[in-house]
Amino acid sequence: MSGASQPLRDSTGTLRSPRPTTNRQVSNRATPPVCSQCPSALPVPLTRPKRLPSTEELSDQKLLGQCADGDERSWTLLVARYENLVYSEALKVGLNEEDAGDVFQQVWLELHRSLPRIRNATGLPRWLIVATRRLSYKVAARGRRMVPSITREMVDPASLPDEELQDVETRMRLEQALDELGGSCAELLRMLFLQPKKQSYEDISDRTGLAIGSIGPTRSRCLLRLRKILEAIS
Amino acid sequence: MNPRQAHPGMDIWVRFIAGEGEGTEERESLASHLESCSRCTKDTEFLQNLQRARRVPKWVAPPTELSSAARRRPQGATLPPAPTQPRNVRWAPADVRGGVSTASASRMVSRMFPQAELGIVAIPPEASGEWRIEGRVWLREADARAIQVLLVHDDHVIASTEVFDGGYFELEDVVGSGWSLELHLPTGETLRLEDPDA
Protein backbone atom coordinates (compact mmCIF):
# COMPACT_ATOMS: atom_id res chain seq x y z
CA MET A 1 0.00 0.00 0.00
CA SER A 2 1.40 3.38 -0.93
CA GLY A 3 0.57 4.97 2.38
CA ALA A 4 2.68 2.43 4.19
CA SER A 5 5.91 4.15 3.24
CA GLN A 6 4.57 7.61 3.90
CA PRO A 7 6.46 9.23 6.78
CA LEU A 8 4.57 10.27 9.87
CA ARG A 9 4.06 13.99 10.16
CA ASP A 10 6.67 15.72 12.26
CA SER A 11 4.76 18.12 14.46
CA THR A 12 7.38 18.70 17.13
CA GLY A 13 6.74 21.77 19.20
CA THR A 14 3.36 22.56 17.76
CA LEU A 15 1.46 22.14 21.02
CA ARG A 16 2.12 23.05 24.64
CA SER A 17 1.26 21.52 27.95
CA PRO A 18 -2.20 22.54 29.13
CA ARG A 19 -0.87 23.49 32.56
CA PRO A 20 1.57 26.33 32.01
CA THR A 21 1.36 27.50 35.62
CA THR A 22 3.22 24.50 36.93
CA ASN A 23 6.48 22.96 35.96
CA ARG A 24 5.06 19.51 36.52
CA GLN A 25 3.95 17.84 33.38
CA VAL A 26 2.64 14.51 32.33
CA SER A 27 5.42 12.10 31.62
CA ASN A 28 6.72 12.16 28.10
CA ARG A 29 7.64 8.54 28.43
CA ALA A 30 4.48 7.04 29.78
CA THR A 31 1.63 9.21 28.57
CA PRO A 32 2.07 12.39 26.60
CA PRO A 33 0.50 15.63 27.79
CA VAL A 34 -2.98 16.30 26.56
CA CYS A 35 -3.72 19.17 24.23
CA SER A 36 -6.58 21.27 25.59
CA GLN A 37 -7.02 23.08 22.29
CA CYS A 38 -7.53 19.98 20.21
CA PRO A 39 -11.07 18.82 19.46
CA SER A 40 -10.79 15.44 21.12
CA ALA A 41 -8.00 15.87 23.66
CA LEU A 42 -5.29 14.42 21.46
CA PRO A 43 -1.89 13.89 23.00
CA VAL A 44 0.84 16.37 22.31
CA PRO A 45 3.34 15.07 19.74
CA LEU A 46 6.53 14.01 21.38
CA THR A 47 9.96 15.38 20.80
CA ARG A 48 12.15 12.34 20.41
CA PRO A 49 15.75 12.44 21.51
CA LYS A 50 18.30 12.35 18.67
CA ARG A 51 19.41 8.86 19.50
CA LEU A 52 19.33 6.89 22.67
CA PRO A 53 22.04 4.40 23.51
CA SER A 54 21.13 0.81 22.69
CA THR A 55 19.13 -1.31 25.10
CA GLU A 56 22.17 -3.41 25.91
CA GLU A 57 24.18 -0.31 26.70
CA LEU A 58 21.32 0.92 28.86
CA SER A 59 20.40 -2.28 30.69
CA ASP A 60 19.63 -1.82 34.38
CA GLN A 61 22.33 -4.35 35.16
CA LYS A 62 25.00 -2.31 33.41
CA LEU A 63 23.76 1.00 34.72
CA LEU A 64 23.69 -0.22 38.31
CA GLY A 65 27.18 -1.64 37.98
CA GLN A 66 28.51 1.57 36.51
CA CYS A 67 26.71 3.65 39.14
CA ALA A 68 28.31 1.55 41.87
CA ASP A 69 31.66 2.36 40.25
CA GLY A 70 30.86 6.06 40.53
CA ASP A 71 29.83 6.81 36.94
CA GLU A 72 27.88 10.10 36.79
CA ARG A 73 26.28 9.52 33.40
CA SER A 74 24.91 6.10 34.34
CA TRP A 75 23.34 7.59 37.45
CA THR A 76 21.66 10.27 35.36
CA LEU A 77 20.34 7.71 32.89
CA LEU A 78 19.07 5.46 35.66
CA VAL A 79 17.19 8.27 37.38
CA ALA A 80 15.81 9.48 34.05
CA ARG A 81 14.48 6.01 33.33
CA TYR A 82 12.64 5.59 36.62
CA GLU A 83 11.87 9.08 37.93
CA ASN A 84 8.32 9.09 36.56
CA LEU A 85 7.60 5.73 38.14
CA VAL A 86 8.86 6.84 41.56
CA TYR A 87 7.10 10.20 41.60
CA SER A 88 3.84 8.73 40.28
CA GLU A 89 3.91 5.95 42.88
CA ALA A 90 4.28 8.52 45.68
CA LEU A 91 1.29 10.44 44.34
CA LYS A 92 -0.66 7.25 43.76
CA VAL A 93 -0.47 6.17 47.39
CA GLY A 94 -2.10 9.45 48.36
CA LEU A 95 0.66 11.95 49.18
CA ASN A 96 0.35 15.57 48.16
CA GLU A 97 2.87 17.02 45.72
CA GLU A 98 5.14 18.43 48.43
CA ASP A 99 5.37 15.17 50.35
CA ALA A 100 5.72 13.20 47.11
CA GLY A 101 8.68 15.45 46.30
CA ASP A 102 10.28 14.62 49.67
CA VAL A 103 9.79 10.93 49.11
CA PHE A 104 11.14 11.23 45.57
CA GLN A 105 14.41 12.68 46.86
CA GLN A 106 14.74 10.14 49.64
CA VAL A 107 14.25 7.20 47.29
CA TRP A 108 17.26 8.21 45.20
CA LEU A 109 19.38 8.69 48.30
CA GLU A 110 18.39 5.22 49.45
CA LEU A 111 19.20 3.78 46.04
CA HIS A 112 22.61 5.43 46.13
CA ARG A 113 23.29 4.03 49.60
CA SER A 114 22.17 0.59 48.50
CA LEU A 115 24.05 0.37 45.19
CA PRO A 116 26.78 -2.00 46.42
CA ARG A 117 24.25 -4.61 47.52
CA ILE A 118 21.53 -4.67 44.86
CA ARG A 119 22.03 -8.08 43.34
CA ASN A 120 18.95 -8.46 41.19
CA ALA A 121 18.97 -5.66 38.63
CA THR A 122 15.87 -7.00 36.88
CA GLY A 123 13.97 -6.34 40.09
CA LEU A 124 14.86 -2.66 40.15
CA PRO A 125 11.28 -1.42 39.48
CA ARG A 126 10.11 -3.50 42.43
CA TRP A 127 12.98 -2.21 44.56
CA LEU A 128 11.99 1.38 43.77
CA ILE A 129 8.29 0.81 44.45
CA VAL A 130 9.04 -0.89 47.77
CA ALA A 131 11.25 2.04 48.82
CA THR A 132 8.69 4.60 47.65
CA ARG A 133 5.85 2.98 49.58
CA ARG A 134 7.86 2.66 52.80
CA LEU A 135 9.14 6.22 52.58
CA SER A 136 5.63 7.47 51.81
CA TYR A 137 4.44 5.89 55.02
CA LYS A 138 7.34 7.44 56.90
CA VAL A 139 6.73 10.93 55.53
CA ALA A 140 3.02 10.68 56.27
CA ALA A 141 3.64 9.34 59.79
CA ARG A 142 6.30 11.93 60.66
CA GLY A 143 4.15 14.74 59.34
CA ARG A 144 1.11 13.27 61.11
CA ARG A 145 -0.73 13.35 57.81
CA MET A 146 -4.04 11.55 57.87
CA VAL A 147 -3.98 9.77 54.52
CA PRO A 148 -6.45 6.89 54.58
CA SER A 149 -4.75 5.05 51.75
CA ILE A 150 -1.39 5.06 53.54
CA THR A 151 -1.24 2.21 55.98
CA ARG A 152 1.42 0.56 58.10
CA GLU A 153 1.43 -2.50 55.87
CA MET A 154 3.10 -0.46 53.12
CA VAL A 155 6.31 -0.83 55.12
CA ASP A 156 6.23 -4.55 54.40
CA PRO A 157 7.63 -5.37 50.93
CA ALA A 158 5.35 -8.41 50.73
CA SER A 159 2.31 -6.12 50.69
CA LEU A 160 3.06 -5.10 47.13
CA PRO A 161 0.53 -6.81 44.83
CA ASP A 162 2.28 -9.04 42.29
CA GLU A 163 -0.15 -8.22 39.52
CA GLU A 164 0.40 -4.49 39.90
CA LEU A 165 4.12 -5.03 39.85
CA GLN A 166 3.95 -7.18 36.72
CA ASP A 167 1.96 -4.48 34.94
CA VAL A 168 4.55 -1.88 35.91
CA GLU A 169 7.43 -4.09 34.77
CA THR A 170 5.67 -4.78 31.48
CA ARG A 171 5.15 -1.07 31.01
CA MET A 172 8.78 -0.30 31.87
CA ARG A 173 10.10 -2.82 29.36
CA LEU A 174 7.72 -1.50 26.76
CA GLU A 175 8.81 2.09 27.36
CA GLN A 176 12.42 1.02 27.10
CA ALA A 177 11.76 -0.82 23.84
CA LEU A 178 9.78 2.10 22.42
CA ASP A 179 12.64 4.45 23.26
CA GLU A 180 14.96 2.23 21.30
CA LEU A 181 12.49 1.83 18.44
CA GLY A 182 12.12 5.58 18.25
CA GLY A 183 10.78 7.69 15.41
CA SER A 184 7.39 7.44 13.80
CA CYS A 185 6.92 3.76 14.68
CA ALA A 186 7.23 4.43 18.39
CA GLU A 187 4.90 7.39 18.11
CA LEU A 188 2.27 5.35 16.33
CA LEU A 189 2.45 2.48 18.81
CA ARG A 190 2.25 4.85 21.77
CA MET A 191 -0.93 6.27 20.29
CA LEU A 192 -2.37 2.85 19.63
CA PHE A 193 -1.40 1.05 22.79
CA LEU A 194 -0.40 3.43 25.57
CA GLN A 195 -3.15 6.00 25.57
CA PRO A 196 -5.57 5.36 28.42
CA LYS A 197 -8.44 5.92 25.98
CA LYS A 198 -8.47 4.09 22.68
CA GLN A 199 -7.75 6.34 19.73
CA SER A 200 -9.89 6.07 16.62
CA TYR A 201 -8.24 5.47 13.26
CA GLU A 202 -9.54 8.89 12.18
CA ASP A 203 -7.74 10.57 15.08
CA ILE A 204 -4.56 8.64 14.39
CA SER A 205 -4.76 9.49 10.71
CA ASP A 206 -5.21 13.17 11.56
CA ARG A 207 -2.25 13.10 13.91
CA THR A 208 0.15 11.06 11.82
CA GLY A 209 -0.81 11.90 8.27
CA LEU A 210 -1.18 8.19 7.52
CA ALA A 211 -4.08 7.15 5.32
CA ILE A 212 -6.58 5.20 7.38
CA GLY A 213 -6.03 2.15 5.20
CA SER A 214 -2.30 2.11 5.83
CA ILE A 215 -2.45 2.35 9.62
CA GLY A 216 -2.97 -1.40 9.96
CA PRO A 217 -0.01 -2.51 7.79
CA THR A 218 2.25 0.13 9.31
CA ARG A 219 1.22 -0.98 12.78
CA SER A 220 2.07 -4.58 11.88
CA ARG A 221 5.54 -3.70 10.70
CA CYS A 222 6.16 -1.54 13.77
CA LEU A 223 4.90 -4.27 16.09
CA LEU A 224 7.28 -6.80 14.59
CA ARG A 225 10.20 -4.43 15.12
CA LEU A 226 9.07 -3.73 18.66
CA ARG A 227 8.78 -7.40 19.46
CA LYS A 228 12.34 -8.04 18.32
CA ILE A 229 13.59 -5.33 20.64
CA LEU A 230 11.50 -6.64 23.53
CA GLU A 231 12.86 -10.13 22.99
CA ALA A 232 16.37 -8.72 23.12
CA ILE A 233 15.56 -6.91 26.38
CA SER A 234 14.03 -9.99 27.95
CA MET B 1 -8.58 -18.71 6.36
CA ASN B 2 -6.94 -18.72 2.95
CA PRO B 3 -3.48 -20.29 2.39
CA ARG B 4 -1.73 -16.94 2.74
CA GLN B 5 -3.14 -16.75 6.22
CA ALA B 6 -1.53 -20.03 7.32
CA HIS B 7 -0.03 -17.82 10.02
CA PRO B 8 -2.26 -14.78 10.30
CA GLY B 9 -0.37 -11.49 10.34
CA MET B 10 0.08 -9.29 13.36
CA ASP B 11 -2.67 -6.97 12.21
CA ILE B 12 -5.21 -9.78 12.25
CA TRP B 13 -4.18 -10.74 15.75
CA VAL B 14 -4.46 -7.12 16.89
CA ARG B 15 -8.10 -7.13 15.82
CA PHE B 16 -8.59 -10.58 17.33
CA ILE B 17 -7.21 -9.49 20.72
CA ALA B 18 -9.39 -6.40 20.56
CA GLY B 19 -12.39 -8.74 20.33
CA GLU B 20 -13.39 -7.81 16.81
CA GLY B 21 -15.55 -10.16 14.76
CA GLU B 22 -17.24 -11.76 17.74
CA GLY B 23 -19.33 -14.73 16.60
CA THR B 24 -18.01 -14.77 13.04
CA GLU B 25 -16.66 -17.79 11.24
CA GLU B 26 -13.31 -16.06 10.73
CA ARG B 27 -12.88 -15.52 14.44
CA GLU B 28 -13.69 -19.13 15.20
CA SER B 29 -11.17 -20.19 12.60
CA LEU B 30 -8.54 -17.93 14.17
CA ALA B 31 -9.30 -19.26 17.64
CA SER B 32 -8.95 -22.80 16.39
CA HIS B 33 -5.64 -21.97 14.69
CA LEU B 34 -4.37 -20.34 17.85
CA GLU B 35 -4.97 -23.47 19.89
CA SER B 36 -2.49 -25.44 17.85
CA CYS B 37 0.05 -22.82 16.77
CA SER B 38 2.83 -21.88 19.18
CA ARG B 39 4.13 -19.15 16.87
CA CYS B 40 0.79 -17.37 16.82
CA THR B 41 0.38 -17.93 20.56
CA LYS B 42 3.60 -15.96 21.00
CA ASP B 43 2.19 -13.21 18.78
CA THR B 44 -0.97 -12.96 20.83
CA GLU B 45 0.89 -13.08 24.15
CA PHE B 46 3.00 -10.19 22.97
CA LEU B 47 -0.13 -8.23 22.07
CA GLN B 48 -1.80 -9.05 25.37
CA ASN B 49 1.25 -7.65 27.14
CA LEU B 50 0.79 -4.44 25.22
CA GLN B 51 -2.81 -4.28 26.39
CA ARG B 52 -1.64 -4.93 29.92
CA ALA B 53 0.71 -1.97 29.83
CA ARG B 54 -2.29 0.25 29.20
CA ARG B 55 -3.65 -0.71 32.65
CA VAL B 56 -0.83 1.09 34.44
CA PRO B 57 -2.13 4.45 35.68
CA LYS B 58 -0.87 7.54 33.97
CA TRP B 59 2.65 8.38 35.08
CA VAL B 60 3.49 11.88 36.13
CA ALA B 61 6.87 13.49 35.66
CA PRO B 62 8.39 15.08 38.77
CA PRO B 63 8.92 18.85 38.86
CA THR B 64 11.95 19.89 36.85
CA GLU B 65 13.98 21.06 39.85
CA LEU B 66 13.44 17.76 41.66
CA SER B 67 14.38 15.80 38.58
CA SER B 68 17.52 17.86 38.00
CA ALA B 69 18.62 17.44 41.60
CA ALA B 70 18.02 13.69 41.56
CA ARG B 71 19.93 13.24 38.32
CA ARG B 72 23.04 14.63 39.95
CA ARG B 73 24.76 11.77 41.70
CA PRO B 74 24.51 12.18 45.49
CA GLN B 75 27.77 12.91 47.23
CA GLY B 76 28.88 10.83 50.14
CA ALA B 77 30.91 7.89 51.17
CA THR B 78 30.48 4.67 49.26
CA LEU B 79 29.02 2.11 51.58
CA PRO B 80 30.39 -1.40 51.91
CA PRO B 81 28.73 -4.29 50.06
CA ALA B 82 26.70 -6.93 51.85
CA PRO B 83 29.06 -8.83 54.15
CA THR B 84 29.80 -12.37 53.11
CA GLN B 85 30.44 -13.73 56.58
CA PRO B 86 29.00 -11.45 59.24
CA ARG B 87 29.20 -12.45 62.87
CA ASN B 88 25.64 -12.63 64.19
CA VAL B 89 25.07 -11.11 67.60
CA ARG B 90 22.01 -11.86 69.76
CA TRP B 91 19.91 -9.29 71.56
CA ALA B 92 18.79 -9.65 75.15
CA PRO B 93 15.89 -8.03 77.00
CA ALA B 94 16.89 -4.51 77.98
CA ASP B 95 18.29 -3.95 81.41
CA VAL B 96 16.09 -1.18 82.71
CA ARG B 97 17.86 -0.91 86.08
CA GLY B 98 20.54 1.28 84.56
CA GLY B 99 17.95 3.55 83.05
CA VAL B 100 19.00 2.54 79.57
CA SER B 101 15.44 2.20 78.40
CA THR B 102 12.00 2.26 79.90
CA ALA B 103 10.28 0.64 76.97
CA SER B 104 9.37 -2.87 78.01
CA ALA B 105 9.93 -4.43 74.60
CA SER B 106 13.35 -2.88 74.09
CA ARG B 107 16.30 -5.13 73.41
CA MET B 108 19.92 -4.56 74.15
CA VAL B 109 23.32 -5.88 73.32
CA SER B 110 26.27 -5.48 75.66
CA ARG B 111 29.07 -7.75 74.58
CA MET B 112 32.77 -7.91 74.01
CA PHE B 113 34.40 -9.32 70.92
CA PRO B 114 38.07 -9.61 70.00
CA GLN B 115 37.78 -6.50 67.82
CA ALA B 116 35.16 -4.40 69.61
CA GLU B 117 32.80 -3.97 72.50
CA LEU B 118 29.15 -3.08 71.91
CA GLY B 119 26.49 -1.34 73.93
CA ILE B 120 23.38 -0.98 71.81
CA VAL B 121 19.67 -0.63 72.54
CA ALA B 122 16.85 -1.20 70.04
CA ILE B 123 13.51 0.39 70.89
CA PRO B 124 10.53 -0.91 68.91
CA PRO B 125 8.07 1.33 67.10
CA GLU B 126 5.24 3.09 68.84
CA ALA B 127 2.79 5.41 67.13
CA SER B 128 5.28 6.71 64.61
CA GLY B 129 6.15 3.23 63.45
CA GLU B 130 9.86 3.95 63.73
CA TRP B 131 12.51 1.80 65.33
CA ARG B 132 15.11 3.68 67.32
CA ILE B 133 18.51 2.09 67.63
CA GLU B 134 21.23 3.78 69.63
CA GLY B 135 24.47 2.94 71.29
CA ARG B 136 28.24 2.98 71.26
CA VAL B 137 30.99 0.85 69.82
CA TRP B 138 34.45 0.71 71.37
CA LEU B 139 37.31 -0.71 69.37
CA ARG B 140 39.70 -2.99 71.21
CA GLU B 141 42.66 -1.52 69.35
CA ALA B 142 42.88 2.17 68.64
CA ASP B 143 41.91 2.99 65.07
CA ALA B 144 41.22 6.44 63.63
CA ARG B 145 38.98 5.05 60.92
CA ALA B 146 35.19 5.19 61.25
CA ILE B 147 32.83 2.33 61.98
CA GLN B 148 29.94 2.26 59.51
CA VAL B 149 26.57 1.47 61.03
CA LEU B 150 23.88 0.38 58.58
CA LEU B 151 20.19 -0.34 59.09
CA VAL B 152 19.36 -2.84 56.37
CA HIS B 153 16.28 -4.62 55.04
CA ASP B 154 16.91 -7.11 52.21
CA ASP B 155 18.95 -5.14 49.70
CA HIS B 156 17.78 -1.76 50.98
CA VAL B 157 20.13 0.28 53.14
CA ILE B 158 17.43 2.13 55.06
CA ALA B 159 19.78 4.36 57.01
CA SER B 160 23.47 4.66 57.69
CA THR B 161 25.80 6.58 59.91
CA GLU B 162 29.46 6.64 60.85
CA VAL B 163 30.80 6.56 64.33
CA PHE B 164 34.32 6.66 65.68
CA ASP B 165 35.79 4.62 68.51
CA GLY B 166 33.63 5.12 71.59
CA GLY B 167 31.28 7.57 69.87
CA TYR B 168 27.51 7.57 70.23
CA PHE B 169 25.21 6.78 67.30
CA GLU B 170 21.46 6.86 66.84
CA LEU B 171 19.35 5.63 63.95
CA GLU B 172 15.62 6.14 63.79
CA ASP B 173 13.61 4.93 60.84
CA VAL B 174 10.58 3.10 59.58
CA VAL B 175 11.57 -0.40 58.63
CA GLY B 176 9.66 -3.61 58.05
CA SER B 177 9.98 -6.85 59.96
CA GLY B 178 13.23 -8.68 59.27
CA TRP B 179 15.66 -5.78 59.38
CA SER B 180 19.22 -6.05 60.53
CA LEU B 181 21.83 -3.71 61.94
CA GLU B 182 25.31 -4.08 60.52
CA LEU B 183 28.43 -2.73 62.14
CA HIS B 184 31.27 -2.62 59.65
CA LEU B 185 34.47 -2.38 61.65
CA PRO B 186 37.65 -0.78 60.27
CA THR B 187 39.28 -4.21 60.40
CA GLY B 188 36.83 -5.44 57.73
CA GLU B 189 34.83 -7.63 60.07
CA THR B 190 31.05 -7.15 60.26
CA LEU B 191 28.89 -7.66 63.31
CA ARG B 192 25.20 -8.13 62.56
CA LEU B 193 22.21 -7.82 64.86
CA GLU B 194 18.92 -9.06 63.45
CA ASP B 195 15.43 -7.74 64.14
CA PRO B 196 14.63 -9.02 67.64
CA ASP B 197 10.95 -9.37 66.76
CA ALA B 198 11.44 -11.32 63.53
Side-chain angles (χ1 to χ4, degrees):
Chain A
M1 211 173 288
S2 63
S5 59
Q6 190 179 339
L8 295 178
R9 190 172 60 209
D10 178 9
S11 47
T12 298
T14 52
L15 296 172
R16 294 285 178 267
S17 167
R19 288 186 293 172
T21 53
T22 173
N23 58 1
R24 211 187 82 196
Q25 58 181 327
V26 176
S27 157
N28 66 352
R29 294 188 57 187
T31 310
V34 172
C35 163
S36 58
Q37 300 152 8
C38 299
S40 55
L42 294 175
V44 175
L46 302 173
T47 305
R48 306 305 310 163
K50 287 177 196 163
R51 183 197 164 274
L52 285 168
S54 72
T55 303
E56 189 182 348
E57 189 184 343
L58 275 174
S59 74
D60 286 352
Q61 181 81 47
K62 277 200 170 178
L63 288 180
L64 280 171
Q66 288 165 356
C67 287
D69 291 339
D71 184 59
E72 275 298 329
R73 181 171 170 270
S74 298
W75 177 262
T76 303
L77 290 171
L78 199 66
V79 174
R81 177 175 295 170
Y82 288 110
E83 62 184 3
N84 296 343
L85 170 66
V86 170
Y87 189 65
S88 301
E89 184 69 20
L91 291 175
K92 196 181 91 181
V93 299
L95 292 180
N96 61 33
E97 289 182 19
E98 189 185 347
D99 288 344
D102 286 348
V103 167
F104 178 81
Q105 295 177 76
Q106 290 181 41
V107 168
W108 300 116
L109 290 174
E110 183 169 315
L111 177 65
H112 185 252
R113 276 198 302 268
S114 306
L115 281 172
R117 64 177 72 212
I118 297 179
R119 296 171 300 275
N120 176 18
T122 56
L124 186 58
R126 181 179 202 279
W127 192 102
L128 290 167
I129 293 174
V130 164
T132 305
R133 287 161 60 92
R134 174 173 30 75
L135 288 165
S136 295
Y137 174 81
K138 175 178 158 183
V139 164
R142 280 195 175 172
R144 300 184 187 282
R145 309 273 197 272
M146 296 299 288
V147 185
S149 55
I150 296 184
T151 59
R152 183 73 198 278
E153 69 168 12
M154 285 167 57
V155 173
D156 178 10
S159 70
L160 184 60
D162 280 347
E163 195 179 350
E164 183 185 333
L165 184 68
Q166 280 170 5
D167 287 350
V168 166
E169 285 173 342
T170 300
R171 178 68 172 257
M172 285 304 310
R173 277 198 298 274
L174 183 58
E175 293 287 351
Q176 199 179 338
L178 284 168
D179 278 347
E180 184 160 332
L181 181 64
S184 53
C185 254
E187 191 172 359
L188 176 66
L189 294 181
R190 282 178 198 279
M191 269 188 266
L192 284 164
F193 293 102
L194 292 186
Q195 295 298 315
K197 271 180 69 177
K198 273 195 169 179
Q199 306 280 302
S200 72
Y201 275 23
E202 287 78 11
D203 287 343
I204 291 168
S205 175
D206 283 349
R207 284 283 313 280
T208 62
L210 282 172
I212 289 181
S214 65
I215 291 175
T218 307
R219 173 178 62 188
S220 293
R221 279 198 306 279
C222 294
L223 283 171
L224 288 172
R225 287 178 57 196
L226 179 71
R227 191 170 73 173
K228 274 190 179 173
I229 296 171
L230 276 169
E231 282 169 357
I233 291 173
S234 301
Chain B
M1 242 184 299
N2 65 40
R4 288 191 61 190
Q5 288 176 313
H7 287 292
M10 196 63 95
D11 203 42
I12 290 174
W13 289 126
V14 169
R15 294 201 298 269
F16 181 83
I17 294 292
E20 287 182 24
E22 203 64 61
T24 63
E25 198 176 312
E26 187 192 1
R27 188 172 175 85
E28 280 174 24
S29 161
L30 286 168
S32 152
H33 176 85
L34 194 57
E35 278 176 15
S36 58
C37 177
S38 59
R39 175 179 148 173
C40 293
T41 301
K42 274 189 176 177
D43 283 354
T44 52
E45 282 172 357
F46 162 66
L47 293 169
Q48 279 161 341
N49 269 341
L50 288 185
Q51 302 282 2
R52 191 175 191 164
R54 200 199 291 265
R55 293 206 303 244
V56 176
K58 191 164 69 178
W59 280 340
V60 179
T64 312
E65 68 272 16
L66 279 181
S67 169
S68 303
R71 289 179 186 205
R72 285 191 297 274
R73 188 182 164 81
Q75 300 302 310
T78 305
L79 298 181
T84 48
Q85 286 184 315
R87 181 193 286 245
N88 288 319
V89 183
R90 293 178 67 97
W91 299 95
D95 180 358
V96 297
R97 288 171 300 175
V100 176
S101 169
T102 54
S104 59
S106 296
R107 296 287 187 277
M108 69 178 290
V109 161
S110 178
R111 280 188 61 185
M112 285 189 286
F113 296 93
Q115 292 83 6
E117 185 175 343
L118 311 179
I120 299 174
V121 177
I123 301 166
E126 291 180 5
S128 67
E130 299 192 43
W131 276 90
R132 186 152 65 88
I133 301 158
E134 59 188 16
R136 291 180 193 273
V137 184
W138 295 270
L139 298 174
R140 307 281 284 184
E141 287 188 16
D143 197 317
R145 291 172 294 173
I147 301 152
Q148 288 186 307
V149 185
L150 273 52
L151 180 59
V152 176
H153 190 274
D154 293 337
D155 49 2
H156 293 250
V157 178
I158 309 289
S160 70
T161 188
E162 284 188 348
V163 64
F164 291 92
D165 185 9
Y168 170 80
F169 73 87
E170 182 183 68
L171 292 172
E172 195 166 14
D173 223 304
V174 168
V175 60
S177 174
W179 56 266
S180 61
L181 184 77
E182 292 177 1
L183 303 162
H184 293 258
L185 305 179
T187 52
E189 191 179 17
T190 304
L191 303 175
R192 183 167 69 189
L193 294 100
E194 295 187 340
D195 178 358
D197 289 350

